[in-house]
Amino acid sequence: MTTQAATRSTPLIAAPQLGIRSRRPLWRLLAIAVIWATSLFVVALWIAGGAVQDLRAWDTDTLNTLGRITGLVSANLLLYQVLLMARVPLFERAFGRDAITRMHRWVGFWSFWLLLAHIALLVVGYAAQAGVNVIAQLWDFVWNYPGMMLATAGTGLLVLVVVTSIRRARRSMRYESWHLLHLYGYLGVGLAIPHMLWTGADFAAHPLAEVYWWGLWAATAAAVIVFRVALPLWRSARHDIRVVAVEADGPVGVVVRMRGRGLERLGARAGQFFVWRFLGAPGWTRGVPLSLAADPRRGELVVAARMVGDGTRRLATLRRGTRVLIEGPYGEFTGEARTRRGIVMMGAGAGVAPLVSLLEAEPYAPGEAILITRDHAAAESMRVREIERLVARRGLHHVALHGPRRRAGSTWLPVTFADGRGAEMLRRMVPGIHDHDVYLCGPEPWMASVRRDLRAAGVPAAQIHSEAFGV
């Protein structure tokens, strides 16, 4: 089914939104300045330790100085890997959750490979200086250098985290199991820190350098405790959020409705997500990241999910009155990103839920908003009643695409679209699509296919908005 609507190309003029949006570059500038300041400090430490002379020597000192710089950069990246996932407002506002997730993965792998290079270079360099084989030198490091036993254990945990984060391994694991293993990365970092500060020549080269590194890691630990533990506990106690209803959303979906005290003070916006823990329910210690499925300004928090894993299946068993712990709100997948009057929402599966919340909250005239949903079968569709209500009351145009996905070309389309020309199909469904903001929510490969066709259809990258809600 294809629904066409006349669209306007007039930019969305809303002073409050533009004012909020204009602050993101300032946050990003500040965040980048912080990152560069610490990175340059690392390089300064290395140079102050005689790096230039050692590099010119072309002997064992060269191996050792390369081992030092790889260790310093790895430690700095490890610091930012933790900070990026600590929900620090500076980075959240500067980059948004989608970019932070990509940065976390990129930083993590580079930190790991530099750590391995650090170990290898120092073992070979010290072994050559001492005239012993590398196995003997590695054994000497582990047993006779302060903090090295802890660092070895920490390295093992980091190897575990990296191996399970490889995409193929990640797909073969349940989210809950992967997330639990991923948390061991914090322990691995904690075990590695004493070695850095006790035996690293660059870390303890000067009292100021030592104070700097201890202070930096202490601030990182404090950020994790404050933003991942203390603040969520305080917000949860303050608002006393409890489940008020659990409803079926089609044959494979579930909706949970929650209310509490002064929820407007949370500042939650349609399209954002929380990490939810339902006290007393099985597995409550493992947070479930879910987006808001309705406009939070209505006085309740609503989530909708497909029952595909242990965490989401348990939602259907929740009882009325269950107390809820929250982390959030997080994410920049909100109406504040809009620049045009016309909006196109494209969602696959459970990705429809945050789009419905945005459509409930955003201003638009009849014909200015189009929702394109993608499901394997019509019976699997979610938020159907809410979508029908938006169609009837606000003039939303809804295009439902059902059927198995294509294996080649525009894989976001069903196989029933024989030609598979996604860009042309988008132009037919949304005349003047280049003058719309487009919001995407669904599996990453599906969104990547849609994004390619949107760009081919002439939609500027700045008007395409998407966000990953979990690591």
Side-chain angles (χ1 to χ4, degrees):
M1 176 180 101
T2 302
T3 304
Q4 295 186 354
T7 59
R8 302 178 185 178
S9 60
T10 308
L12 180 69
I13 305 299
Q17 289 184 337
L18 294 178
I20 293 172
R21 183 173 168 80
S22 67
R23 289 199 292 267
R24 170 169 273 202
L26 297 178
W27 284 109
R28 183 169 296 176
L29 181 63
L30 180 58
I32 291 173
V34 171
I35 293 171
W36 271 106
T38 58
S39 301
L40 291 174
F41 184 83
V42 164
V43 175
L45 283 178
W46 180 60
I47 293 174
V52 176
Q53 295 84 345
D54 291 339
L55 282 176
R56 292 174 177 173
W58 291 101
D59 56 12
T60 56
D61 286 337
T62 302
L63 292 175
N64 291 337
T65 198
L66 290 174
R68 284 168 42 219
I69 188 58
T70 52
L72 284 168
V73 175
S74 175
N76 199 51
L77 291 178
L78 203 59
L79 170 81
Y80 279 105
Q81 190 182 15
V82 175
L83 275 177
L84 285 171
M85 302 311 291
R87 314 292 193 191
V88 178
L90 171 63
F91 298 114
E92 293 283 329
R93 294 170 182 171
F95 304 118
R97 179 75 350 213
D98 189 31
I100 285 177
T101 301
R102 292 194 300 268
M103 290 168 65
H104 174 76
R105 182 176 178 83
W106 182 87
V107 167
F109 279 113
W110 269 107
S111 176
F112 175 72
W113 291 118
L114 288 170
L115 173 63
L116 295 186
H118 163 69
I119 295 170
L121 287 165
L122 287 183
V123 168
V124 172
Y126 273 64
Q129 282 183 334
V132 298
N133 63 61
V134 292
I135 302 298
Q137 184 59 59
L138 181 61
W139 184 267
D140 183 52
F141 274 154
V142 173
W143 287 100
N144 297 322
Y145 281 67
M148 281 300 298
M149 285 290 289
L150 294 175
T152 301
T155 300
L157 291 174
L158 292 175
V159 169
L160 175 67
V161 170
V162 170
V163 170
T164 56
S165 294
I166 296 171
R167 294 189 188 278
R168 182 171 295 181
R170 167 71 183 89
R171 293 192 191 103
S172 66
M173 300 176 66
R174 296 183 309 161
Y175 169 81
E176 293 82 5
S177 301
W178 172 83
H179 187 258
L180 181 61
L181 289 173
H182 207 73
L183 292 178
Y184 282 109
Y186 287 109
L187 180 58
V189 172
L191 292 175
I193 290 174
H195 145 69
M196 300 177 190
L197 299 174
W198 291 342
T199 63
D202 295 294
F203 292 91
H206 190 279
L208 287 178
E210 195 168 353
V211 168
Y212 171 83
W213 282 107
W214 276 109
L216 207 56
W217 282 107
T220 302
V224 173
I225 293 171
V226 169
F227 296 112
R228 295 302 300 270
V229 180
L231 187 58
L233 287 175
W234 178 75
R235 282 178 172 166
S236 299
R238 179 190 189 193
H239 297 286
D240 189 26
I241 301 170
R242 297 179 185 269
V243 174
V244 295
V246 178
E247 307 161 355
D249 190 1
V252 296
V254 61
V255 173
V256 180
R257 299 183 181 277
M258 294 158 280
R259 291 178 185 163
R261 293 192 302 260
L263 293 181
E264 70 281 354
R265 294 199 297 270
L266 276 172
R269 304 190 300 276
Q272 291 189 302
F273 74 100
F274 289 79
V275 178
W276 311 87
R277 289 178 174 83
F278 300 92
L279 296 183
W284 70 268
T285 56
R286 294 189 292 274
V288 182
L290 292 172
S291 303
L292 294 172
D295 183 1
R297 294 177 300 179
R298 294 183 174 184
E300 63 179 8
L301 302 178
V302 181
V303 296
R306 277 190 172 181
M307 292 180 283
V308 295
D310 291 347
T312 49
R313 287 193 186 97
R314 283 192 286 266
L315 295 177
T317 67
L318 294 175
R319 296 181 179 180
R320 181 183 176 91
T322 298
R323 193 165 185 174
V324 186
L325 297 182
I326 59 169
E327 287 184 53
Y330 299 128
E332 300 297 323
F333 190 67
T334 69
E336 290 172 1
R338 282 181 69 184
T339 61
R340 324 299 291 179
R341 286 192 183 277
I343 50 175
V344 179
M345 303 286 182
M346 301 183 67
V352 172
L355 301 181
V356 169
S357 74
L358 280 165
L359 287 166
E360 290 179 348
E362 284 300 294
Y364 53 86
E368 289 182 340
I370 298 177
L371 173 64
I372 301 172
T373 57
R374 178 74 177 89
D375 290 285
H376 189 79
E380 298 178 358
S381 301
M382 296 180 61
R383 311 301 286 155
V384 173
R385 285 178 297 177
E386 288 71 21
I387 293 171
E388 290 174 348
R389 190 179 299 119
L390 288 166
V391 170
R393 296 181 181 178
R394 299 198 55 189
L396 170 71
H397 285 232
H398 178 212
V399 180
L401 304 176
H402 300 135
R405 70 180 182 87
R406 296 179 56 82
R407 298 294 178 181
S410 299
T411 55
W412 65 275
L413 286 169
V415 292
T416 49
F417 290 82
D419 58 11
R421 292 180 294 180
E424 180 59 30
M425 183 56 60
L426 287 168
R427 293 192 191 98
R428 290 183 202 166
M429 287 190 286
V430 189
I433 191 171
H434 59 279
D435 276 334
H436 289 67
D437 279 294
V438 183
Y439 287 75
L440 304 179
C441 190
E444 191 62 45
W446 181 86
M447 289 197 296
S449 179
V450 177
R451 193 177 288 110
R452 284 193 296 270
D453 284 342
L454 287 169
R455 298 292 288 121
V459 181
Q463 292 170 213
I464 302 173
H465 317 292
S466 64
E467 188 157 35
F469 301 136
V471 179

